[in-house]
Amino acid sequence: MQTNPRLNIRQVTWANPVGADLRAAQQAELDARFGTADHEPGTPPSEADTAVFLVAYEKSSGQPVGCGGLRMLDDRTVEIKRLYVIPYMRGSGVASSILAALEAHAHQQGFTTVTAEAGSAQPDGRHFYEHSGFAEVPSFGPYIGQEHSHCYAKKIDSHSAAHTAMA
């Protein structure tokens, strides 16, 4: 789903070098925010458990400006992983566009719930999910017992991505 006329959002493989560079930038930023590289409980996402991975490109320049993926948790549930927007593009609708595209992919693949997690050092991420219609839920999976994790979930249907895109 293309929701932002200034972006091209493309599905790529997990191994795609542009996606790998964006994920590395996101992890470096989180390492700095948390003060450690040990801030993600559980196994990191991989090609094997990723239902879709997207990269957003600015149409005018062709530059990659963000990314995001969906990790399969079970046959009905996916988790948003590696949602990232380069700093100078934040606040321009890139994250909402990627989220809408992820929700559309999840719905097309038959998933009914999208989950997410944001840590205590990510107040912007928590605000983003809450603003995008996610409800805070009890910790799930590797986040159970993690003091600073904030977990979210959203039921999706044919209208979810369109609503997210308009938020």
Side-chain angles (χ1 to χ4, degrees), residues 1-2 7 12 19 24 27 45 62 73 75 79 99 103 107-108 110 117 119 128 132 136 138 144 152-153:
M1 164 179 268
Q2 294 293 133
L7 298 176
V12 300
Q27 291 302 293
L73 299 182
D75 63 343
E79 178 186 4
L99 179 59
E103 288 181 10
H107 179 67
Q108 290 167 359
E117 186 270 347
F128 174 74
S132 300
E136 194 157 1
I144 294 172
Y152 298 89

Side-chain angles (χ1 to χ4, degrees), residues 6-155:
R6 296 177 301 133
L7 298 176
N8 281 322
I9 299 177
R10 299 182 195 141
Q11 183 173 344
V12 300
T13 66
W14 186 259
N16 176 280
V18 173
D21 286 348
L22 288 165
R23 291 192 311 273
Q26 183 222 27
Q27 291 302 293
E29 183 176 322
L30 291 177
D31 293 353
R33 283 185 184 206
F34 284 97
T36 178
D38 185 27
H39 50 75
E40 182 173 25
T43 306
S46 67
E47 183 84 40
D49 65 8
T50 301
V52 66
F53 192 76
L54 305 175
V55 172
Y57 295 85
E58 188 176 44
K59 280 185 181 176
S60 64
S61 68
Q63 292 296 310
V65 294
C67 65
L70 295 174
R71 172 188 246 174
M72 298 172 285
L73 299 182
D74 59 39
D75 63 343
R76 310 295 274 156
T77 310
V78 288
E79 178 186 4
I80 296 169
K81 296 301 286 184
R82 305 301 188 255
L83 182 57
Y84 176 72
V85 175
I86 59 173
Y88 78 85
M89 290 296 290
R90 292 180 186 163
S92 68
V94 174
S96 294
S97 295
I98 294 169
L99 179 59
L102 290 171
E103 288 181 10
H105 278 278
H107 179 67
Q108 290 167 359
Q109 293 180 23
F111 295 102
T112 58
T113 303
V114 177
T115 62
E117 186 270 347
S120 60
Q122 298 170 284
D124 49 346
R126 293 193 315 269
H127 175 74
F128 174 74
Y129 289 125
E130 291 164 4
H131 179 75
S132 300
F134 284 72
E136 194 157 1
V137 297
S139 295
F140 58 87
Y143 310 112
I144 294 172
Q146 297 295 316
E147 180 181 351
H148 300 291
S149 281
H150 298 268
C151 293
Y152 298 89
K154 180 179 183 179
K155 295 288 185 192

